[in-house]
Amino acid sequence: MLCTTRTAALLGIEAHAVELEVDLARQGMPAFTLVGLAEGAVREAKERVFSALKNSGYRMPPSRITVNMAPADLKKSGSAYDLPLALGLLGASGAMEAERLEGWLFSGELSLSGELKPIPGVLPLAVRARDDGARGILVPRANAAEAAVVEGLEVYGVETLAQAVEFLSGRESLEPAQSRAEEDFARRLRFSLDFAEVKGQEHAKRAVEIAAAGAHNLLFSGPPGSGKTMLAKRIPTVLPPLAFEEALEVTKIYSVAGMLAEDQSLVATRPFRSPHHTISDAGLIGGGAHPRPGEVSLGHRGVLFLDELPEFKKQVLEALRQPLEDGRVTISRAALSLTYPADFMLVAALNPCPCGYLTDERHGCSCTPNQVRAYQARVSGPLLDRIDLQVEAPAVEYHEMRGDGGGTDSATMRDSVLRARKVQAARFGQSGPLLNADLSGAALEAHCTLGDEEHRFMEGAFQRLGLSARASTRVLRLARTIADLEGADRITTPHLAEAISYRGLDRSRSG
């Protein structure tokens, strides 16, 4: 007897429909054959599934079993095929009515006792089920809230194989899972950190405000203990809240990576990722034998913070250049090519020299000029060109630390950022880039028009600092954001001067 069940395979952050055709024949020697480009964990499903069936009280007759996973040219990996395979075997053997399985999408890993274990990537599977018009999706109970985020789809969470069979057979009733997305969104502006806690560094806070307003990349340079990491960790507190579609996109990535907490149905706050400088290029960009999202994708719509930037391996830093330009990363293998979104705000920090005290008047620098040049050269010019703001964070004086207030707080900064973002949304609409950091080509010329005085100023700065064409473009984008924060219609010389003041490493290298 033939029985068909439906599930889906993950490729990147998208799910593709898969049908399991289970044929059970009583003639011939008992055998089990699985075809359809299945990897190791899928082939091992036979042992898990038959043990789960036996321990759940179901007896499979000796049979020749053939399972075809269609389409046959689509790679299948992972353990999420256990549940659809077990139900297909029960339908093919007559232990339950095969018609009861029609129209459903199933996914879940089985333990040997028949319990269902949570799996990664349930959210993309639920989106696929809805888009394909499925009547519902059956998943492990631990994944139900995550799948329930998808509107227009009935989601049922089950704890065991036996419970799934009883529900599908109509002998047990279950309530559809309810989304906890509203609860997750209600928590999105509850931050444990605030810029009011940062003593001094008002110049650096101003740079953070500009960077957040236009989604510009940012680099802090300063001696140890000046507060670079402290500043970076508070940047998400001034960024606009995630819209629902953005949250859904980010949640897909974390779902595929298996990084959603059991009580979390949606990533409602902007991510902040801070990988260690020993990370590999595959860990940062993504990849592996079974390609997974890297830190650049886990930071999508949020902040990727690279502390001690020159300590990262050179090939790792150079691999950042493409996602910084394109907002996505492509991982190519012999059998497939996957694309993950990687639209993040890069924030980096470095010391001015190996010992860290080159710019600190209170500490003597022990580095030679050659050591300083070699240290700074670890970060290539092309990468620095892609960082809009290069800000010095000097050591904080004692009188600043003992002050009662920390200066500007996150709420005030966030209000300014939101006003500037509204100006950009009204300017661009749906016809162009959404943020100033994305301006290029004709859009850059149209929205960053300069007068004669401003052109003369830019020409002088271009020659003095030796700016590249890319760096001068970023100065214009930055000046546009500064003007937006002030509510100015056109870019003026003071806006350009402030923008150029944030190209500190250009000045030091040209000098």
Side-chain angles (χ1 to χ4, degrees):
M1 183 176 175
L2 179 66
C3 178
T4 300
T5 58
R6 294 171 59 192
T7 183
L10 288 172
L11 287 180
I13 63 169
E14 301 300 329
H16 299 262
V18 172
E19 285 190 349
L20 269 69
E21 300 172 324
V22 183
D23 182 67
L24 190 148
R26 303 293 177 88
Q27 297 83 17
M29 292 291 293
F32 183 91
T33 305
L34 178 64
V35 297
L37 206 57
E39 292 197 337
V42 183
R43 294 193 297 271
E44 292 169 356
K46 170 193 169 185
E47 310 302 331
R48 291 191 299 271
V49 167
F50 277 98
S51 292
L53 287 169
K54 179 190 69 175
N55 293 320
S56 299
Y58 304 106
R59 294 290 182 265
M60 296 298 298
S63 312
R64 178 180 291 275
I65 300 169
T66 304
V67 180
N68 178 41
M69 307 180 78
D73 60 346
L74 181 66
K75 197 174 189 179
K76 292 93 179 174
S77 61
S79 56
Y81 300 95
D82 292 2
L83 180 59
L85 176 56
L87 294 172
L89 287 169
L90 291 173
S93 67
M96 68 178 297
E97 297 178 25
E99 293 78 10
R100 297 274 187 174
L101 304 173
E102 294 179 359
W104 290 89
L105 189 142
F106 308 104
S107 191
E109 177 184 341
L110 285 170
S111 68
L112 299 185
S113 64
E115 293 182 354
L116 279 165
K117 297 182 177 182
I119 56 170
V122 164
L123 182 58
L125 267 61
V127 172
R128 171 53 54 198
R130 181 199 62 188
D131 294 347
D132 288 349
R135 60 189 291 190
I137 181 172
L138 219 64
V139 295
R141 185 178 296 278
N143 294 122
E146 176 190 340
V149 170
V150 180
E151 297 180 353
L153 177 71
E154 288 195 346
V155 177
Y156 293 90
V158 291
E159 295 180 348
T160 64
L161 173 60
Q163 186 182 29
V165 174
E166 292 298 299
F167 169 69
L168 292 167
S169 300
R171 295 188 291 270
E172 181 177 339
S173 62
L174 294 174
E175 290 296 321
Q178 300 299 315
S179 170
R180 292 196 293 263
E182 290 187 7
E183 298 175 19
D184 291 331
F185 266 95
R187 296 193 296 264
R188 62 181 174 172
L189 290 182
R190 299 176 191 170
F191 297 107
S192 59
L193 303 174
D194 195 288
F195 270 104
E197 301 159 351
V198 179
K199 305 293 185 179
Q201 302 295 7
E202 290 301 310
H203 175 67
K205 286 186 186 181
R206 167 66 173 172
V208 167
E209 187 175 275
I210 295 169
H216 302 284
N217 301 320
L218 171 65
L219 182 144
F220 295 115
S221 174
S226 59
K228 303 185 293 295
T229 302
M230 193 176 184
L231 287 161
K233 286 183 176 179
R234 284 157 178 77
I235 290 176
T237 69
V238 303
L239 293 173
L242 281 175
F244 180 78
E245 289 302 320
E246 290 179 318
L248 201 63
E249 192 176 23
V250 174
T251 306
K252 275 187 178 183
I253 299 170
Y254 278 74
S255 176
V256 168
M259 296 177 63
L260 277 183
E262 189 171 328
D263 61 344
Q264 185 180 26
S265 62
L266 198 69
V267 178
T269 56
R270 293 191 180 271
F272 180 86
R273 304 295 301 177
S274 180
H276 193 261
H277 61 76
T278 57
I279 193 171
S280 66
D281 49 356
L284 187 68
I285 303 300
H290 302 285
R292 287 169 47 88
E295 291 291 336
V296 296
S297 296
L298 294 171
H300 182 61
R301 302 296 185 191
V303 174
L304 176 67
F305 176 51
L306 302 184
D307 201 4
E308 304 292 347
L309 186 66
E311 301 299 331
F312 285 79
K313 291 189 282 290
K314 188 174 182 63
Q315 70 268 22
V316 171
L317 292 181
E318 293 306 302
L320 274 175
R321 287 159 58 177
Q322 201 60 41
L324 281 173
E325 288 294 321
D326 298 339
R328 62 182 183 275
V329 60
T330 299
I331 302 169
S332 298
R333 294 290 180 268
L336 78 163
S337 179
L338 302 178
T339 298
Y340 290 110
D343 188 5
F344 55 89
M345 177 179 167
L346 176 64
V347 180
L350 53 76
N351 296 328
C353 65
C355 78
Y357 296 110
L358 179 66
T359 58
D360 191 347
E361 297 178 355
R362 297 173 302 177
H363 294 82
C365 176
S366 60
C367 306
T368 66
N370 285 340
Q371 288 175 324
V372 174
R373 281 193 294 270
Y375 181 78
Q376 293 180 348
R378 293 182 188 178
V379 183
S380 69
L383 180 59
L384 283 177
D385 277 351
R386 289 168 169 83
I387 299 177
D388 300 3
L389 293 96
Q390 303 161 4
V391 184
E392 184 174 348
V396 180
E397 300 294 337
Y398 180 74
H399 69 85
E400 294 176 311
M401 291 189 292
R402 73 176 183 177
D404 294 333
T408 313
D409 61 10
S410 291
T412 302
M413 295 171 67
R414 186 166 59 247
D415 288 343
S416 297
V417 169
L418 289 173
R419 285 195 298 271
R421 292 271 182 126
K422 287 180 181 177
V423 170
Q424 293 168 70
R427 176 190 301 127
F428 300 133
Q430 300 298 320
S431 60
L434 298 178
L435 296 166
N436 289 335
D438 301 321
L439 282 169
S440 62
L444 183 73
E445 293 183 8
H447 301 297
C448 298
T449 305
L450 302 180
D452 291 341
E453 179 185 343
E454 288 77 25
H455 275 300
R456 286 193 296 272
F457 180 83
M458 278 293 289
E459 182 179 5
F462 196 97
Q463 293 174 350
R464 285 195 309 274
L465 300 179
L467 296 179
S468 67
R470 182 183 284 114
S472 62
T473 294
R474 292 187 179 277
V475 167
L476 288 177
R477 293 173 180 170
L478 206 55
R480 180 67 269 172
T481 300
I482 295 169
D484 290 343
L485 283 166
E486 293 185 1
D489 291 332
R490 61 181 296 271
I491 297 173
T492 62
T493 300
H495 301 145
L496 292 169
E498 184 176 3
I500 290 173
S501 74
Y502 295 120
R503 303 297 301 180
L505 292 182
D506 290 334
R507 295 196 300 273
S508 63
R509 292 190 178 209
S510 63

